[in-house]
Amino acid sequence: MGTWDIGPFDNDTAADFSGDLDDTPPAERAALIRATLGEVIETGTDYLDSDVAVQAVAAAALVASQCPGGDPVPTPYGPDEALPELPVELRPLAIEALDRVLTEPSELLELWDETDEAGPWKATLVRLREVLAPR
């Protein structure tokens, strides 16, 4: 995994996902985000591959960016093309996907737990979750 920072798009796989979104017709981008989140959710208690998890984190960040209090995606590794308004029904899926990424067995969680940046990385995901499910 080529990772250079803790942000949702700060790795090669998420950058590739952004490129895939840019290559997808605008009317089909929400469906790609839904499918990406769903792939993580569908793993259930099976082992979650890091590449699948990384894409779901990026997808969740895109959903969160359109929520009240959400942060824009200012990174050059995010999508170049503007996203259409995403359905609010994606928010609970994004929460569920983030929760799954942070639950064993998760390769991405294991990889981050082996670093000194595990705390800040987890805090980034918790922040996304808070934006997606305000109290």
Side-chain angles (χ1 to χ4, degrees):
M1 171 173 72
T3 301
W4 50 87
D5 208 346
I6 63 169
F9 294 93
D10 294 340
N11 60 77
D12 293 333
T13 304
D16 290 344
F17 173 72
S18 294
D20 291 344
L21 271 173
D22 287 336
D23 293 341
T24 301
E28 297 173 22
R29 291 185 186 144
L32 177 58
I33 290 171
R34 180 184 308 277
T36 301
L37 296 169
E39 188 173 0
V40 166
I41 295 165
E42 290 169 7
T43 63
T45 58
D46 292 340
Y47 191 75
L48 177 59
D49 180 78
S50 67
D51 286 344
V52 175
V54 162
Q55 291 178 21
V57 170
L62 293 172
V63 175
S65 74
Q66 293 188 358
C67 293
D71 296 322
V73 180
T75 176
Y77 304 105
D80 292 328
E81 302 296 322
L83 287 175
E85 178 105 9
L86 297 173
V88 295
E89 296 83 34
L90 292 178
R91 294 176 187 177
L93 295 177
I95 292 167
E96 192 174 350
L98 290 172
D99 288 348
R100 177 61 190 90
V101 168
L102 290 169
T103 303
E104 291 290 347
S106 169
E107 183 181 24
L108 187 59
L109 178 62
E110 292 170 6
L111 291 170
W112 277 106
D113 279 344
E114 295 172 358
T115 73
D116 293 336
E117 297 298 321
W121 174 77
K122 289 176 186 175
T124 299
L125 272 58
V126 168
R127 164 78 175 123
L128 289 175
R129 194 182 190 295
E130 289 170 351
V131 168
L132 290 160
R135 296 182 191 255

